[in-house]
Amino acid sequence: MTSKSNAKPAKKPHVFIFDTTLRDGEQSPGASMTHNEKLEMASLMEEMGVDIIEAGFPAASDGDFAAVSAIAAQSKSAIICGLARSTPADIDRCGEAVRKSARPRIHTFISTSEVHMKHKLKMGPNAVLEAIGRSVTQARNLVDDVEWSAEDATRTEFDFLCKCIDIAIASGARTINVPDTVGYSHPHEYGELIRRLIENVPNSDKVIWSAHCHNDLGLAVANSLSAVANGARQVECAINGLGERAGNAALEEVVMAMKVRGDTLPYETSIDTTYLARASAMVSRITGFPVQYNKAIVGKNAFAHESGIHQDGMLKNAETYEIMKPEDVGVAKTSLVMGKLSGRNAFRDKLESMGYFIEGEALNDAFKRFKDLADRKKHVFDDDINALVDEQLAAEGERIAFKRLRVVAGTDGPQTAEIDLVVDGEEKFAIARGNGPVDAVFNAIRQIVPHQAVLELYQVHAVTGGTDAQATVSVRLNGDGIMATGRSSDPDTLVASAKAYLHALNKFEVRKSKRKAA
């Protein structure tokens, strides 16, 4: 005889998502964000359920301090974290920046590997141990929630790493982060390191263990998941995998791996995954970094099927070739829904369904741009609307604005561009020749706004299919150690090129001014 059990299924362990897009992600060359863009991004992160937002490095600049302070003040539920080196000045500055948050955290770190201590810090092991105790104690006196990181942990001698962590815990750290700073480790090795640390460090059960993996060998997500399987309960990641060099573990991949493979990864997060596509698009728009088409979860081809065999299987049952639903990550099932006869209310509803909430003049301007686009294109797809609104948002507040462009091109030459710009409210005109129409356009811009930045990148791709598709142009400028990226979309490739160059130039000029002020 058997009896039915009324026991509820065991609750899955919670994995905290620590988003470092605004800090480590912004350290990607050319990916700096404006103050308002950081606030916008932080607001979306909180809305989508990110547990900890690493808002910046307050001691790095006045701009970073202001952004972290503003994010802390506007936050409602997320832990707002600032990064600090182990120096007293850094920690005081960080404490001041996060103090307005309802849930402030100071994240302090120091290098622990022999190569870092010898060549970077020029400190011996005992000096490093002393600095850990002093810095964590100082941070703990400012906030209740302190995280400590061993920079380059995966190349640190194990017994010494245990000593460092023991001191950090004894000094008041609540979270211990074990970074694979240079992306050197592999999944079995990294997971084993986390497990051994938990087994060997005194009071390891009193803290949350965190994984922070870089993607130099393409293993950041795999390493992070291995860490979770071996006892880590916080993953530090970034949207689109943004970050130093090859980037960080991609938030969307970490989260969806646990959601889709709950059978072998029985953990839960607080992330509302329907926000993932929107968050990815926002980061791409703000940084000017396009998302590769075959990017997992959020790439344009992630739910596209061209092979006849695959298409046949999809028509019979989507599960034949899709392990998750597009709508689970915020991707619409269909994209052809708007046209030139669509009204303003329908357009606003469409924007809201895509995650854009704009009103007043901003909505009026977006609707006018949509109608103009609908007159020029036979079909308007979701991707077209994304590009249109992102272009408008990217241009807000810029001191150099596009007004008009006329280009003469062809085999007879010479290629000539006439351009009207508005610079600080004043309309200016220039005409220039070039080695091709794009070169002529950029030369005309340089006449109006002289600068020494070099064009390092120029890329064009179509937003949708067809000869009337909008072109999305990405531009990267570099000069005097300052890198800035811009992106724009328009059915006219040359107009998109001019606008993308101007977006990059606006960012370049802002960063140049900040450097002079500092």
Side-chain angles (χ1 to χ4, degrees):
M1 182 175 178
T2 60
S3 60
K4 292 183 179 180
S5 172
N6 293 322
K8 295 181 180 179
K11 187 177 180 181
K12 293 181 179 180
H14 183 82
V15 174
F16 294 93
I17 297 299
F18 177 113
D19 188 284
T20 188
T21 306
L22 299 178
R23 200 278 299 169
D24 198 328
E26 197 194 16
Q27 291 174 206
S28 298
S32 294
M33 307 173 193
T34 67
H35 182 88
N36 288 338
E37 287 169 345
K38 289 180 180 180
L39 293 179
E40 178 187 13
M41 194 71 244
S43 179
L44 178 63
M45 288 177 190
E46 191 165 48
E47 193 175 338
M48 72 188 283
V50 169
D51 298 289
I52 304 103
I53 299 171
E54 189 167 50
F57 195 160
S61 69
D62 290 342
D64 249 31
F65 177 85
V68 175
S69 299
I71 291 168
Q74 79 170 15
S75 67
K76 296 179 177 64
S77 58
I79 294 170
I80 304 302
C81 174
L83 185 69
R85 290 165 295 197
S86 60
T87 62
D90 264 35
I91 294 169
D92 280 342
R93 187 75 164 156
C94 189
E96 175 63 21
V98 301
R99 68 179 179 83
K100 292 182 181 178
S101 171
R103 304 174 70 194
R105 174 183 291 188
I106 293 176
H107 177 193
T108 184
F109 71 97
I110 194 169
S111 297
T112 56
S113 68
E114 184 178 353
V115 64
H116 273 227
M117 289 191 294
K118 180 179 179 180
H119 298 289
K120 176 185 170 183
L121 298 180
K122 301 190 184 302
M123 294 170 65
N126 289 335
V128 168
L129 292 172
E130 192 276 331
I132 293 168
R134 184 186 65 246
S135 59
V136 173
T137 299
Q138 180 188 354
R140 186 66 178 79
N141 286 331
L142 296 174
V143 297
D144 290 335
D145 187 356
V146 175
E147 175 174 339
W148 180 78
S149 287
E151 186 177 11
D152 205 23
T154 53
R155 295 192 296 172
T156 298
E157 191 272 324
F158 182 77
D159 288 341
F160 180 67
L161 183 58
C162 288
K163 288 181 183 178
C164 293
I165 295 171
D166 184 21
I167 289 175
I169 295 174
S171 301
R174 289 186 176 181
T175 301
I176 298 297
N177 184 37
V178 186
D180 186 22
T181 304
V182 293
Y184 178 74
S185 200
H186 59 75
H188 175 75
E189 180 182 47
Y190 189 66
E192 180 75 1
L193 174 61
I194 297 294
R195 184 188 62 77
R196 288 180 66 206
L197 288 171
I198 293 173
E199 290 175 350
N200 286 275
V201 172
N203 297 311
S204 64
D205 59 329
K206 301 295 193 297
V207 296
I208 293 172
W209 291 82
S210 178
H212 181 120
C213 299
H214 279 264
N215 206 39
D216 298 72
L217 294 176
L219 296 171
V221 170
N223 284 342
S224 300
L225 295 174
S226 180
V228 170
N230 282 277
R233 290 296 176 263
Q234 176 177 291
V235 175
E236 306 195 358
C237 43
I239 296 165
N240 293 346
L242 205 64
E244 291 270 15
R245 303 180 315 278
N248 290 282
L251 180 150
E252 60 277 3
E253 296 176 25
V254 169
V255 169
M256 288 307 295
M258 288 188 279
K259 180 171 182 175
V260 173
R261 292 307 312 273
D263 55 335
T264 56
L265 294 167
Y267 312 101
E268 65 176 12
T269 73
S270 297
I271 300 296
D272 182 343
T273 61
T274 62
Y275 282 78
L276 292 176
R278 178 182 168 193
S280 171
M282 181 183 289
V283 169
S284 180
R285 182 251 300 174
I286 287 173
T287 62
F289 286 16
V291 177
Q292 66 191 63
Y293 278 24
N294 61 333
K295 168 77 171 64
I297 315 300
V298 292
K300 185 173 287 189
N301 288 352
F303 297 97
H305 306 272
E306 186 165 331
S307 160
I309 295 173
H310 285 218
Q311 289 175 345
D312 180 64
M314 285 293 297
L315 290 172
K316 293 172 180 174
N317 188 322
E319 291 183 4
T320 55
Y321 287 104
E322 284 187 353
I323 60 173
M324 53 194 144
K325 298 176 182 178
E327 54 267 32
D328 287 346
V329 300
V331 175
K333 288 183 179 179
T334 181
S335 64
L336 181 59
V337 292
M338 300 294 289
K340 65 181 181 180
L341 299 180
S342 299
R344 187 175 181 277
N345 288 336
F347 178 68
R348 180 172 55 191
D349 288 343
K350 179 62 182 172
L351 289 181
E352 290 181 358
S353 74
M354 296 170 67
Y356 296 104
F357 297 90
I358 55 178
E359 294 289 346
E361 285 304 311
L363 176 62
N364 293 337
D365 185 48
F367 183 60
K368 181 180 182 301
R369 289 159 57 83
F370 161 71
K371 297 293 275 189
D372 290 343
L373 180 63
D375 283 336
R376 299 164 70 185
K377 281 194 88 224
K378 185 176 181 180
H379 301 301
V380 179
F381 296 85
D382 282 4
D383 285 344
D384 289 314
I385 297 173
N386 272 323
L388 178 149
V389 180
D390 286 348
E391 159 72 19
Q392 177 181 334
L393 294 173
E396 288 181 357
E398 293 186 339
R399 58 176 288 267
I400 309 166
F402 175 87
K403 185 173 183 181
R404 184 191 71 92
L405 176 69
R406 180 176 180 272
V407 178
V408 178
T411 56
D412 295 336
Q415 286 76 39
T416 306
E418 301 175 6
I419 195 164
D420 288 289
L421 304 178
V422 178
V423 182
D424 295 326
E426 181 182 352
E427 188 172 326
K428 297 190 176 184
F429 168 82
I431 183 168
R433 293 180 178 181
N435 183 21
V438 174
D439 189 46
V441 171
F442 293 172
N443 286 339
I445 293 173
R446 290 189 192 98
Q447 281 191 25
I448 297 175
V449 188
H451 57 276
Q452 299 301 315
V454 175
L455 180 66
E456 271 198 344
L457 173 75
Y458 175 78
Q459 288 182 338
V460 183
H461 71 265
V463 174
T464 57
T467 56
D468 63 349
Q470 289 195 90
T472 291
V473 176
S474 298
V475 165
R476 185 167 67 223
L477 301 177
N478 194 351
D480 299 324
I482 300 171
M483 192 175 292
T485 306
R487 191 171 68 161
S488 184
S489 301
D490 195 274
D492 188 317
T493 305
L494 295 174
V495 172
S497 299
K499 290 180 177 180
Y501 193 97
L502 290 173
H503 292 330
L505 183 56
N506 273 290
K507 292 181 180 179
F508 180 84
E509 293 294 323
V510 168
R511 287 166 203 161
K512 188 175 177 181
S513 298
K514 286 183 178 178
R515 175 180 288 183
K516 287 181 179 179

